[in-house]
């Protein structure tokens, strides 16, 4: 499965910054050893149900250590028997775009 998740800590920083709390959560994901990527809005992580959800829970827990309230947005693509989809899905789109561009020439 692939899970895209985003954590929203309540910030006590006067600037509203949540960088340190989010960095702690991303560190948990990176240390998990599971395939992952982080972008401006979400962190995507791939693996089996129990291992992915355990990482998400740990990420929430580290943010909760510095924030009295944590929002979690989670989207999951559950497709048993398919590994490597974190990159394969993007590769299929890129291939389709290349083929479309080739046909247009």
């Amino acid at each position: 499965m692939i899970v895209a998740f985003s954590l929203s800590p309540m910030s006590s920083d006067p600037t509203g910054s949540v960088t340190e709390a989010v960095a702690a959560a991303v560190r948990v994901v990176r240390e998990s050893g599971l395939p992952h990527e982080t972008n401006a809005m979400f962190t995507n992580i791939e693996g089996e149900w129990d291992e992915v959800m355990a990482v998400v829970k740990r990420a929430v827990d580290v943010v909760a250590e510095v924030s009295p309230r944590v929002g979690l947005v989670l989207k999951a693509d559950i497709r048993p028997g398919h590994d490597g989809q974190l990159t394969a899905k993007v590769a299929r789109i890129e291939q389709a775009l290349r083929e479309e561009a080739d046909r247009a020439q």
Side-chain angles (χ1 to χ4, degrees):
M1 78 184 303
I2 298 172
V3 166
F5 75 100
S6 176
L7 297 174
S8 300
M10 178 187 292
S11 175
S12 60
D13 184 302
T15 67
S17 178
V18 295
T19 301
E20 293 302 319
V22 172
V26 171
R27 189 173 306 109
V28 166
V29 173
R30 291 182 178 178
E31 290 173 353
S32 76
L34 294 175
H36 64 275
E37 62 185 19
T38 299
N39 58 51
M41 297 292 293
F42 286 93
T43 294
N44 302 319
I45 184 167
E46 183 174 15
E48 297 300 317
W49 182 279
D50 290 340
E51 61 188 358
V52 169
M53 291 304 174
V55 172
V56 171
K57 182 181 183 325
R58 283 195 307 274
V60 169
D61 289 345
V62 300
V63 171
E65 290 175 8
V66 296
S67 177
R69 187 175 189 176
V70 181
L72 170 65
V73 174
L74 187 142
K75 180 177 181 181
D77 180 1
I78 304 160
R79 194 172 181 199
H82 290 80
D83 295 327
Q85 295 303 297
L86 193 63
T87 55
K89 291 172 83 168
V90 176
R92 287 191 298 271
I93 296 299
E94 293 296 337
Q95 179 63 34
L97 291 170
R98 281 191 301 276
E99 290 170 1
E100 180 182 305
D102 290 346
R103 285 191 301 272
Q105 291 179 351

XYZ file of all heavy atoms in Angstrom:
787
model
N 0.827 -1.181 0.000
C 0.000 0.000 0.000
C 0.865 1.234 0.000
O 2.014 1.201 0.445
C -0.933 -0.006 1.211
C -0.295 0.381 2.525
S -1.352 0.274 3.991
C -2.697 1.313 3.596
N 0.311 2.300 -0.521
C 0.935 3.607 -0.432
C 0.028 4.485 0.412
O -1.187 4.511 0.196
C 1.119 4.266 -1.811
C 2.043 3.420 -2.689
C 1.668 5.684 -1.665
C 2.117 3.919 -4.113
N 0.622 5.169 1.363
C -0.123 6.117 2.178
C 0.494 7.496 1.982
O 1.714 7.659 2.079
C -0.093 5.724 3.668
C -0.550 6.857 4.555
C -0.959 4.499 3.901
N -0.354 8.459 1.685
C 0.038 9.866 1.658
C -0.540 10.480 2.917
O -1.736 10.360 3.167
C -0.514 10.560 0.419
N 0.335 11.088 3.721
C -0.194 11.701 4.936
C 0.452 13.046 5.194
O 1.549 13.337 4.740
C -0.052 10.766 6.140
C 1.330 10.631 6.708
C 1.697 11.339 7.837
C 2.251 9.771 6.135
C 2.966 11.207 8.374
C 3.517 9.630 6.670
C 3.883 10.342 7.793
N -0.293 13.853 5.914
C 0.159 15.184 6.278
C -0.228 15.435 7.730
O -1.357 15.139 8.127
C -0.511 16.227 5.375
O -0.160 17.524 5.763
N 0.722 15.930 8.488
C 0.468 16.255 9.884
C 0.413 17.762 10.043
O 1.216 18.485 9.450
C 1.590 15.704 10.771
C 1.740 14.191 10.767
C 2.967 13.782 11.565
C 0.504 13.538 11.320
N -0.528 18.218 10.849
C -0.675 19.644 11.117
C -0.606 19.867 12.620
O -1.610 19.742 13.321
C -2.008 20.160 10.578
O -2.094 19.955 9.196
N 0.590 20.181 13.123
C 0.698 20.472 14.554
C 0.163 21.859 14.875
O 0.237 22.755 14.035
C 2.204 20.408 14.826
C 2.870 20.500 13.508
C 1.868 20.188 12.444
N -0.407 22.001 16.063
C -0.771 23.328 16.525
C 0.535 23.992 16.932
O 1.315 23.419 17.687
C -1.711 23.256 17.731
C -2.071 24.627 18.275
S -3.016 24.538 19.803
C -4.538 23.863 19.217
N 0.804 25.141 16.405
C 2.081 25.801 16.646
C 1.998 26.767 17.816
O 1.053 27.527 17.932
C 2.510 26.562 15.390
O 3.671 27.299 15.644
N 3.026 26.717 18.649
C 3.146 27.735 19.696
C 4.205 28.762 19.296
O 4.450 29.717 20.013
C 3.513 27.078 21.030
O 4.744 26.394 20.887
N 4.802 28.554 18.131
C 5.790 29.497 17.606
C 5.067 30.773 17.196
O 4.062 30.724 16.490
C 6.488 28.855 16.402
C 7.608 29.702 15.834
O 7.339 30.862 15.450
O 8.727 29.197 15.742
N 5.547 31.949 17.612
C 4.866 33.202 17.276
C 4.763 33.455 15.767
O 3.881 34.169 15.315
C 5.698 34.288 17.959
C 6.869 33.620 18.574
C 6.720 32.146 18.448
N 5.652 32.847 14.986
C 5.601 33.028 13.532
C 4.631 32.059 12.869
O 4.358 32.168 11.686
C 6.991 32.817 12.901
O 7.369 31.433 13.039
C 8.029 33.721 13.528
N 4.149 31.072 13.626
C 3.259 30.065 13.054
C 4.005 28.922 12.412
O 3.404 28.023 11.836
N 5.315 28.910 12.519
C 6.129 27.868 11.895
C 5.912 26.520 12.568
O 5.832 26.425 13.795
C 7.612 28.234 11.968
O 8.389 27.195 11.408
N 5.827 25.485 11.746
C 5.709 24.114 12.245
C 6.866 23.260 11.723
O 6.831 22.039 11.813
C 4.347 23.489 11.862
C 3.205 24.222 12.536
C 4.164 23.465 10.352
N 7.892 23.913 11.211
C 9.000 23.221 10.557
C 9.653 22.172 11.442
O 9.874 21.037 11.005
C 10.060 24.240 10.085
O 9.438 25.152 9.188
C 11.221 23.551 9.402
N 9.990 22.517 12.658
C 10.696 21.575 13.530
C 9.847 20.341 13.836
O 10.347 19.220 13.835
C 11.143 22.268 14.827
C 12.201 23.330 14.604
C 13.459 22.799 13.923
O 13.922 21.691 14.258
O 13.974 23.507 13.028
N 8.575 20.545 14.111
C 7.685 19.416 14.412
C 7.524 18.514 13.185
O 7.573 17.283 13.293
C 6.328 19.918 14.891
N 7.351 19.116 12.030
C 7.194 18.321 10.805
C 8.500 17.605 10.480
O 8.493 16.441 10.064
C 6.705 19.200 9.638
C 6.718 18.435 8.328
C 5.292 19.718 9.932
N 9.624 18.261 10.696
C 10.917 17.614 10.455
C 11.078 16.380 11.330
O 11.611 15.356 10.881
C 12.057 18.600 10.695
N 10.620 16.442 12.551
C 10.692 15.280 13.442
C 9.864 14.126 12.896
O 10.281 12.963 12.946
C 10.230 15.664 14.850
N 8.703 14.436 12.346
C 7.851 13.399 11.764
C 8.505 12.792 10.523
O 8.496 11.563 10.336
C 6.482 13.977 11.414
N 9.073 13.621 9.685
C 9.746 13.127 8.475
C 10.947 12.269 8.860
O 11.221 11.245 8.229
C 10.135 14.288 7.548
C 11.017 13.808 6.406
C 8.877 14.973 7.006
N 11.640 12.632 9.920
C 12.773 11.829 10.404
C 12.306 10.417 10.757
O 12.979 9.427 10.437
C 13.422 12.505 11.608
C 14.732 11.875 12.045
C 15.442 12.673 13.148
N 15.626 14.070 12.773
C 14.956 15.094 13.314
N 14.058 14.892 14.257
N 15.189 16.336 12.915
N 11.157 10.300 11.394
C 10.598 8.980 11.732
C 10.388 8.163 10.457
O 10.727 6.974 10.396
C 9.264 9.128 12.503
C 8.502 7.817 12.565
C 9.521 9.676 13.894
N 9.825 8.801 9.442
C 9.575 8.102 8.175
C 10.893 7.655 7.556
O 11.038 6.493 7.133
C 8.784 8.995 7.191
C 8.674 8.338 5.835
C 7.406 9.315 7.760
N 11.863 8.525 7.496
C 13.158 8.188 6.882
C 13.855 7.072 7.638
O 14.476 6.200 7.028
C 14.034 9.425 6.798
C 13.500 10.412 5.794
C 14.367 11.618 5.649
N 13.796 12.490 4.611
C 14.308 13.659 4.273
N 15.398 14.100 4.871
N 13.728 14.374 3.336
N 13.761 7.084 8.940
C 14.411 6.052 9.744
C 13.697 4.703 9.654
O 14.265 3.683 10.035
C 14.521 6.503 11.195
C 15.519 7.637 11.378
C 15.529 8.232 12.771
O 14.658 7.851 13.604
O 16.390 9.099 13.035
N 12.468 4.700 9.137
C 11.710 3.446 9.043
C 12.306 2.472 8.037
O 12.085 1.264 8.121
C 10.258 3.735 8.647
O 10.168 4.053 7.249
N 13.028 2.987 7.057
C 13.588 2.125 6.016
C 12.611 1.796 4.903
O 12.978 1.144 3.931
N 11.377 2.256 5.018
C 10.385 2.007 3.971
C 10.569 3.004 2.833
O 11.025 4.130 3.063
C 8.969 2.133 4.544
C 8.574 1.089 5.584
C 7.194 1.414 6.157
C 8.586 -0.303 4.988
N 10.197 2.616 1.604
C 10.248 3.576 0.505
C 9.350 4.772 0.824
O 8.234 4.602 1.320
C 9.705 2.792 -0.693
C 9.877 1.356 -0.326
C 9.734 1.305 1.174
N 9.852 5.973 0.548
C 9.088 7.171 0.900
C 9.549 8.345 0.050
O 10.602 8.301 -0.583
C 9.281 7.512 2.378
C 10.693 7.858 2.688
N 11.631 6.893 2.968
C 11.356 9.041 2.715
C 12.791 7.475 3.170
N 12.654 8.785 3.016
N 8.750 9.383 0.064
C 9.117 10.663 -0.523
C 8.335 11.741 0.198
O 7.230 11.507 0.672
C 8.844 10.702 -2.030
C 7.387 10.538 -2.391
C 7.139 10.464 -3.891
O 8.078 10.180 -4.653
O 5.990 10.690 -4.284
N 8.934 12.904 0.290
C 8.275 14.037 0.929
C 8.210 15.172 -0.074
O 9.179 15.445 -0.767
C 9.051 14.480 2.180
O 9.090 13.388 3.103
C 8.406 15.675 2.847
N 7.031 15.789 -0.161
C 6.883 16.970 -1.018
C 6.337 18.111 -0.163
O 6.259 17.988 1.056
C 6.024 16.655 -2.255
C 4.650 16.161 -1.902
O 3.935 16.768 -1.107
N 4.241 15.040 -2.496
N 5.950 19.182 -0.786
C 5.519 20.366 -0.041
C 4.247 20.150 0.779
O 4.012 20.873 1.753
C 5.310 21.536 -0.995
N 3.441 19.175 0.412
C 2.147 18.997 1.063
C 1.988 17.680 1.824
O 1.235 17.617 2.781
C 1.024 19.086 0.021
C 0.934 20.423 -0.667
S 0.419 21.750 0.426
C -1.241 21.262 0.793
N 2.659 16.620 1.372
C 2.461 15.288 1.946
C 3.774 14.532 2.044
O 4.738 14.845 1.353
C 1.506 14.452 1.078
C 0.084 14.872 1.183
C -0.454 15.791 0.294
C -0.747 14.357 2.163
C -1.770 16.191 0.380
C -2.077 14.753 2.268
C -2.588 15.678 1.372
N 3.769 13.499 2.852
C 4.805 12.484 2.842
C 4.128 11.200 2.385
O 3.067 10.828 2.892
C 5.438 12.311 4.233
O 6.133 13.510 4.557
C 6.408 11.148 4.257
N 4.731 10.553 1.398
C 4.222 9.290 0.873
C 5.129 8.175 1.375
O 6.349 8.314 1.360
C 4.223 9.294 -0.657
C 3.400 10.421 -1.217
O 2.324 10.730 -0.729
N 3.910 11.074 -2.242
N 4.522 7.085 1.784
C 5.278 5.950 2.303
C 4.635 4.672 1.788
O 3.402 4.576 1.691
C 5.355 5.995 3.845
C 6.224 4.882 4.397
C 3.996 6.011 4.474
C 6.577 5.065 5.867
N 5.472 3.687 1.437
C 4.969 2.442 0.854
C 5.417 1.248 1.680
O 6.551 1.187 2.139
C 5.497 2.290 -0.575
C 4.963 1.061 -1.282
C 5.358 0.987 -2.746
O 6.272 1.732 -3.177
O 4.758 0.188 -3.461
N 4.506 0.310 1.858
C 4.819 -0.919 2.584
C 3.552 -1.673 2.901
O 2.487 -1.402 2.346
N 3.670 -2.624 3.785
C 2.510 -3.389 4.230
C 1.701 -2.572 5.241
O 2.239 -1.699 5.917
C 2.965 -4.716 4.859
C 3.675 -5.642 3.884
C 2.809 -6.031 2.697
O 1.613 -6.328 2.908
O 3.324 -6.034 1.561
N 0.414 -2.880 5.303
C -0.534 -2.130 6.132
C 0.014 -1.845 7.540
O 0.085 -0.693 7.966
C -1.846 -2.906 6.212
C -2.912 -2.222 6.997
C -3.054 -2.213 8.352
C -3.981 -1.422 6.477
N -4.152 -1.468 8.707
C -4.744 -0.980 7.573
C -4.369 -1.061 5.205
C -5.861 -0.180 7.428
C -5.491 -0.267 5.061
C -6.220 0.164 6.165
N 0.362 -2.895 8.274
C 0.767 -2.728 9.673
C 2.035 -1.901 9.813
O 2.141 -1.070 10.716
C 0.951 -4.089 10.352
C -0.371 -4.813 10.568
O -1.427 -4.149 10.560
O -0.350 -6.049 10.742
N 3.008 -2.098 8.923
C 4.254 -1.353 9.063
C 4.075 0.121 8.691
O 4.628 1.003 9.355
C 5.389 -2.008 8.266
C 5.179 -2.091 6.793
C 6.245 -2.926 6.080
O 7.195 -3.428 6.710
O 6.118 -3.076 4.842
N 3.279 0.394 7.667
C 3.039 1.787 7.281
C 2.265 2.517 8.371
O 2.624 3.631 8.768
C 2.292 1.866 5.929
C 1.804 3.274 5.658
C 3.191 1.384 4.800
N 1.217 1.900 8.870
C 0.410 2.555 9.903
C 1.195 2.752 11.197
O 1.001 3.754 11.901
C -0.876 1.774 10.166
C -1.848 1.827 9.016
S -2.236 3.534 8.584
C -3.225 3.291 7.140
N 2.113 1.834 11.494
C 2.954 1.996 12.681
C 3.863 3.218 12.528
O 4.083 3.967 13.488
C 3.780 0.738 12.924
N 4.378 3.444 11.322
C 5.227 4.613 11.077
C 4.403 5.896 11.195
O 4.846 6.871 11.806
C 5.922 4.512 9.699
C 6.650 5.807 9.371
C 6.889 3.333 9.673
N 3.206 5.894 10.621
C 2.345 7.078 10.724
C 2.048 7.375 12.194
O 2.132 8.526 12.630
C 1.044 6.895 9.911
C 0.055 8.027 10.196
C 1.342 6.798 8.417
N 1.744 6.350 12.966
C 1.460 6.556 14.390
C 2.680 7.131 15.111
O 2.557 8.078 15.902
C 1.020 5.265 15.076
C 0.682 5.487 16.551
C 0.265 4.220 17.240
C -0.139 4.431 18.680
N 0.551 5.431 19.445
N 3.872 6.595 14.836
C 5.080 7.118 15.466
C 5.311 8.577 15.071
O 5.725 9.404 15.895
C 6.295 6.267 15.114
C 6.348 4.959 15.898
C 7.697 4.265 15.844
N 8.229 4.032 14.510
C 7.948 2.986 13.741
N 7.102 2.049 14.165
N 8.500 2.854 12.550
N 5.039 8.903 13.815
C 5.197 10.293 13.356
C 4.237 11.208 14.109
O 4.623 12.304 14.542
C 4.974 10.382 11.846
N 2.996 10.775 14.263
C 2.024 11.561 15.025
C 2.505 11.711 16.473
O 2.449 12.798 17.053
C 0.619 10.923 14.975
C -0.326 11.586 15.978
C 0.043 10.996 13.566
N 2.999 10.627 17.047
C 3.438 10.662 18.444
C 4.582 11.653 18.662
O 4.587 12.371 19.663
C 3.862 9.270 18.908
C 2.681 8.322 19.080
O 1.527 8.781 19.116
O 2.936 7.094 19.176
N 5.558 11.727 17.728
C 6.667 12.667 17.933
C 6.202 14.112 17.800
O 6.705 14.990 18.492
C 7.897 12.396 17.026
C 8.468 11.018 17.273
C 7.613 12.631 15.582
N 5.231 14.342 16.919
C 4.684 15.692 16.803
C 3.880 16.041 18.057
O 3.956 17.159 18.564
C 3.831 15.836 15.522
C 3.093 17.162 15.506
C 4.720 15.708 14.283
N 3.150 15.065 18.584
C 2.345 15.290 19.789
C 3.213 15.613 21.005
O 2.735 16.230 21.961
C 1.465 14.081 20.072
N 4.489 15.235 20.961
C 5.399 15.564 22.070
C 5.633 17.076 22.186
O 5.945 17.567 23.261
C 6.745 14.856 21.886
C 6.670 13.362 22.086
C 7.992 12.669 21.775
O 9.013 13.362 21.544
O 7.991 11.427 21.745
N 5.469 17.798 21.066
C 5.724 19.246 21.084
C 4.483 20.070 20.746
O 4.544 21.289 20.699
C 6.872 19.624 20.115
C 8.169 18.982 20.571
C 6.547 19.248 18.696
N 3.386 19.390 20.495
C 2.165 20.092 20.118
C 0.980 19.499 20.874
O 0.794 18.283 20.875
C 1.934 19.949 18.611
O 0.728 20.557 18.242
N 0.166 20.336 21.481
C -0.975 19.827 22.241
C -2.087 19.263 21.361
O -2.998 18.605 21.848
C -1.456 21.047 23.021
C -1.026 22.213 22.190
C 0.254 21.793 21.530
N -1.993 19.526 20.060
C -3.039 19.069 19.141
C -2.398 18.803 17.786
O -1.592 19.599 17.309
C -4.107 20.149 19.014
C -5.309 19.757 18.242
C -6.328 20.896 18.316
N -7.598 20.493 17.755
C -8.664 21.253 17.773
N -8.614 22.462 18.315
N -9.790 20.830 17.245
N -2.763 17.669 17.167
C -2.186 17.293 15.880
C -3.310 16.892 14.936
O -4.136 16.039 15.266
C -1.206 16.096 16.024
C -0.592 15.738 14.679
C -0.129 16.394 17.051
N -3.344 17.520 13.764
C -4.279 17.113 12.722
C -3.580 16.135 11.788
O -2.397 16.275 11.500
N -4.318 15.136 11.321
C -3.768 14.136 10.407
C -4.689 13.991 9.210
O -5.885 13.753 9.366
C -3.636 12.776 11.110
C -3.307 11.565 10.227
C -1.912 11.698 9.609
C -3.416 10.276 11.042
N -4.124 14.151 8.010
C -4.834 13.858 6.762
C -4.135 12.651 6.170
O -2.904 12.636 6.064
C -4.766 15.048 5.778
C -5.368 14.670 4.441
C -5.459 16.260 6.366
N -4.898 11.626 5.810
C -4.311 10.397 5.310
C -5.119 9.884 4.125
O -6.345 9.841 4.180
C -4.308 9.351 6.432
C -3.593 8.056 6.164
C -2.886 7.598 7.420
C -4.555 7.001 5.705
N -4.417 9.517 3.070
C -5.031 8.902 1.902
C -4.241 7.646 1.596
O -3.005 7.667 1.600
C -4.981 9.858 0.709
C -5.617 9.275 -0.535
C -5.615 10.270 -1.672
C -6.288 9.620 -2.880
N -6.314 10.516 -4.028
N -4.932 6.546 1.310
C -4.251 5.275 1.090
C -4.666 4.649 -0.236
O -5.830 4.710 -0.625
C -4.561 4.308 2.230
N -3.689 4.074 -0.913
C -3.918 3.268 -2.111
C -3.574 1.844 -1.719
O -2.400 1.493 -1.569
C -3.022 3.750 -3.256
C -3.214 2.957 -4.542
O -4.052 2.030 -4.569
O -2.508 3.257 -5.521
N -4.597 1.033 -1.522
C -4.418 -0.332 -1.032
C -4.562 -1.279 -2.219
O -5.656 -1.434 -2.770
C -5.451 -0.646 0.074
C -5.307 0.397 1.183
C -5.283 -2.068 0.585
C -6.511 0.509 2.075
N -3.444 -1.879 -2.619
C -3.417 -2.738 -3.798
C -2.506 -3.931 -3.519
O -1.321 -3.928 -3.867
C -2.922 -1.939 -4.994
C -3.160 -2.614 -6.314
C -2.816 -1.663 -7.436
N -3.056 -2.297 -8.715
C -2.532 -1.899 -9.855
N -1.735 -0.838 -9.873
N -2.788 -2.525 -10.969
N -3.055 -4.958 -2.869
C -2.232 -6.112 -2.499
C -1.515 -6.718 -3.714
O -2.054 -6.766 -4.822
C -3.247 -7.100 -1.922
C -4.379 -6.248 -1.449
C -4.441 -5.115 -2.442
N -0.287 -7.151 -3.447
C 0.485 -7.812 -4.485
C 1.244 -6.875 -5.405
O 1.881 -7.315 -6.356
N 1.188 -5.586 -5.161
C 1.891 -4.617 -5.992
C 2.887 -3.846 -5.137
O 2.493 -3.074 -4.270
C 0.898 -3.664 -6.661
C 0.073 -4.308 -7.703
N -1.025 -5.070 -7.413
C 0.201 -4.327 -9.048
C -1.552 -5.523 -8.530
N -0.825 -5.091 -9.542
N 4.163 -4.064 -5.400
C 5.225 -3.352 -4.697
C 5.873 -2.359 -5.653
O 5.724 -2.458 -6.872
C 6.298 -4.330 -4.210
C 5.769 -5.301 -3.163
O 4.888 -4.908 -2.391
O 6.253 -6.454 -3.134
N 6.594 -1.422 -5.110
C 7.330 -0.472 -5.935
C 6.458 0.535 -6.656
O 6.895 1.190 -7.593
N 5.249 0.693 -6.212
C 4.313 1.580 -6.902
C 4.575 3.054 -6.634
O 4.118 3.917 -7.380
C 2.874 1.218 -6.542
C 2.473 -0.165 -7.022
C 2.650 -0.306 -8.523
O 1.992 0.386 -9.291
N 3.537 -1.181 -8.948
N 5.326 3.361 -5.604
C 5.651 4.751 -5.300
C 6.347 5.400 -6.495
O 6.057 6.542 -6.841
C 6.545 4.805 -4.063
C 6.748 6.152 -3.403
C 5.429 6.698 -2.871
C 7.736 6.023 -2.272
N 7.198 4.653 -7.153
C 7.869 5.173 -8.344
C 7.234 4.670 -9.637
O 7.224 5.386 -10.637
C 9.364 4.806 -8.331
O 9.493 3.382 -8.197
C 10.088 5.490 -7.181
N 6.695 3.465 -9.621
C 6.134 2.879 -10.848
C 4.928 3.662 -11.358
O 4.761 3.825 -12.574
C 5.764 1.417 -10.619
N 4.098 4.152 -10.457
C 2.922 4.914 -10.889
C 3.338 6.178 -11.630
O 2.785 6.525 -12.670
C 2.041 5.279 -9.681
C 1.344 4.084 -9.060
C 0.644 4.451 -7.776
C -0.708 5.035 -8.086
N -1.560 5.164 -6.893
N 4.345 6.856 -11.111
C 4.842 8.074 -11.749
C 5.501 7.735 -13.080
O 5.305 8.441 -14.078
C 5.827 8.817 -10.816
C 6.429 10.026 -11.503
C 5.123 9.230 -9.528
N 6.248 6.647 -13.128
C 6.912 6.235 -14.372
C 5.886 5.955 -15.468
O 6.114 6.306 -16.639
C 7.782 5.009 -14.121
N 4.760 5.346 -15.115
C 3.716 5.070 -16.124
C 3.129 6.359 -16.681
O 2.876 6.472 -17.879
C 2.625 4.180 -15.531
C 3.068 2.740 -15.337
C 1.919 1.806 -15.000
N 1.250 2.115 -13.758
C 1.600 1.632 -12.570
N 2.646 0.845 -12.443
N 0.916 1.948 -11.495
N 2.938 7.352 -15.834
C 2.421 8.646 -16.295
C 3.436 9.324 -17.204
O 3.086 9.858 -18.266
C 2.075 9.557 -15.095
C 0.942 8.956 -14.271
C 1.745 10.979 -15.554
C -0.356 8.780 -15.008
N 4.704 9.323 -16.794
C 5.755 9.934 -17.619
C 5.841 9.252 -18.984
O 5.994 9.925 -20.008
C 7.106 9.886 -16.901
C 7.183 10.747 -15.659
C 7.036 12.233 -15.935
O 7.297 12.683 -17.071
O 6.647 12.959 -15.001
N 5.725 7.922 -19.007
C 5.757 7.185 -20.269
C 4.574 7.577 -21.155
O 4.729 7.802 -22.351
C 5.747 5.671 -20.011
C 5.756 4.827 -21.272
C 7.014 5.022 -22.099
O 8.099 5.229 -21.563
N 6.880 4.965 -23.413
N 3.401 7.679 -20.583
C 2.218 8.068 -21.352
C 2.391 9.475 -21.932
O 2.016 9.724 -23.087
C 0.966 8.002 -20.477
N 2.968 10.381 -21.161
C 3.205 11.740 -21.647
C 4.232 11.763 -22.783
O 4.064 12.498 -23.765
C 3.658 12.654 -20.509
C 2.584 12.968 -19.465
C 3.195 13.668 -18.264
C 1.460 13.782 -20.069
N 5.285 10.942 -22.660
C 6.280 10.855 -23.741
C 5.645 10.315 -25.017
O 5.881 10.828 -26.111
C 7.461 9.976 -23.329
C 8.459 10.671 -22.429
C 9.733 9.867 -22.259
N 9.520 8.545 -21.683
C 9.430 8.295 -20.386
N 9.529 9.287 -19.509
N 9.249 7.069 -19.945
N 4.830 9.272 -24.874
C 4.169 8.685 -26.044
C 3.221 9.688 -26.697
O 3.159 9.782 -27.924
C 3.426 7.409 -25.640
C 4.360 6.278 -25.286
C 3.657 5.093 -24.658
O 2.414 5.102 -24.500
O 4.368 4.127 -24.291
N 2.511 10.439 -25.890
C 1.604 11.471 -26.413
C 2.396 12.535 -27.173
O 1.998 12.978 -28.255
C 0.820 12.102 -25.269
C -0.143 13.180 -25.705
C -0.856 13.797 -24.533
O -1.474 13.043 -23.747
O -0.771 15.028 -24.385
N 3.504 12.969 -26.606
C 4.353 13.966 -27.252
C 4.923 13.430 -28.564
O 4.978 14.161 -29.570
C 5.481 14.397 -26.323
N 5.314 12.170 -28.583
C 5.839 11.555 -29.805
C 4.771 11.516 -30.900
O 5.062 11.778 -32.081
C 6.355 10.140 -29.532
C 7.628 10.143 -28.710
O 8.269 11.201 -28.563
O 7.977 9.062 -28.182
N 3.544 11.196 -30.518
C 2.464 11.132 -31.507
C 2.144 12.518 -32.059
O 1.745 12.658 -33.205
C 1.199 10.528 -30.872
C 1.267 9.039 -30.674
C -0.083 8.448 -30.299
N -0.630 9.021 -29.065
C -0.391 8.563 -27.853
N 0.398 7.518 -27.680
N -0.937 9.117 -26.791
N 2.327 13.547 -31.243
C 2.000 14.911 -31.660
C 3.042 15.482 -32.623
O 2.768 16.451 -33.304
C 1.890 15.819 -30.430
N 4.216 14.871 -32.674
C 5.279 15.405 -33.549
C 5.087 14.980 -34.950
O 4.853 14.329 -35.667
C 6.655 14.951 -33.051
C 6.995 15.617 -31.749
C 8.366 15.163 -31.231
O 8.992 14.253 -31.740
N 8.822 15.819 -30.202
